[in-house]
Amino acid sequence: MRAIRTRSQDKILNLLKNIKQGISAQDIYVELRNRNQSMGLATVYRSLEALKMEGLVQIRTLANGEALYSLAQQDKHHLTCLQCGVSIPINQCPVHDLEEKLQEKHKFKIFYHTLEFFGLCTQCQNNQAAEVSE
């Protein structure tokens, strides 16, 4: 059964459909203002929370604590550098079978999952090695 959505939720969904990448709540607020569809920042957060609970929006928290929102269309996987913050998407998913087993075993409806590995990218490794050799 589809939940009844507010106009604010519909505006945010339409924005996320057009953006096609993760975006912070603050940036959603600014972008809606730029499109003459402004709403309060608290309304943006409430709408995002409702959309998340409906399984339509997913949240990805970066290493710096910033939360990025996107449509929950596909599972997201990344390699994220703890030093410079670069995030490299991973296209294969090693946990789809596990997801199906967990849903069956626990009778738990999974909307999406994320998988993120944290470490150092090649550039930061090279910079670190150069600093050590100096």
Side-chain angles (χ1 to χ4, degrees):
M1 187 172 119
R2 179 181 177 252
I4 298 172
R5 278 191 222 101
T6 65
R7 284 189 300 263
S8 297
Q9 291 168 359
D10 284 336
K11 287 178 185 179
I12 290 172
L13 280 175
N14 287 331
L15 177 67
L16 292 175
K17 286 176 189 172
N18 291 325
I19 298 285
K20 298 190 189 297
Q21 64 183 12
I23 182 173
S24 71
Q26 286 277 353
D27 288 339
I28 290 171
Y29 170 76
V30 169
E31 190 60 35
L32 289 171
R33 284 186 61 192
N34 290 342
R35 296 175 183 210
N36 294 318
Q37 299 179 352
S38 64
M39 66 180 75
L41 185 57
T43 302
V44 170
Y45 279 105
R46 277 193 306 273
S47 296
L48 286 167
E49 180 64 20
L51 293 168
K52 178 188 78 170
M53 295 306 292
E54 198 177 332
L56 296 173
V57 169
Q58 65 188 48
I59 302 170
R60 178 171 168 245
T61 305
L62 301 179
N64 66 4
E66 182 180 26
L68 299 181
Y69 298 85
S70 62
L71 292 179
Q73 294 179 341
Q74 63 185 30
D75 299 324
K76 308 281 185 177
H77 308 90
H78 297 87
L79 300 172
T80 299
C81 181
L82 292 169
Q83 191 159 342
C84 70
V86 70
S87 189
I88 304 163
I90 304 170
N91 293 325
Q92 68 261 30
C93 177
V95 296
H96 275 298
D97 291 338
L98 174 61
E99 181 179 304
E100 291 174 13
K101 289 175 185 172
L102 290 171
Q103 285 190 108
E104 181 66 29
K105 180 178 180 182
H106 298 284
K107 305 295 185 234
F108 187 86
K109 183 178 181 179
I110 297 174
F111 293 134
Y112 64 90
H113 69 265
T114 61
L115 179 63
E116 192 140 15
F117 297 94
F118 296 93
L120 293 177
C121 68
T122 305
Q123 183 64 46
C124 290
Q125 289 176 61
N126 291 340
N127 292 346
Q128 201 172 54
E131 289 174 9
V132 171
S133 66
E134 289 179 356

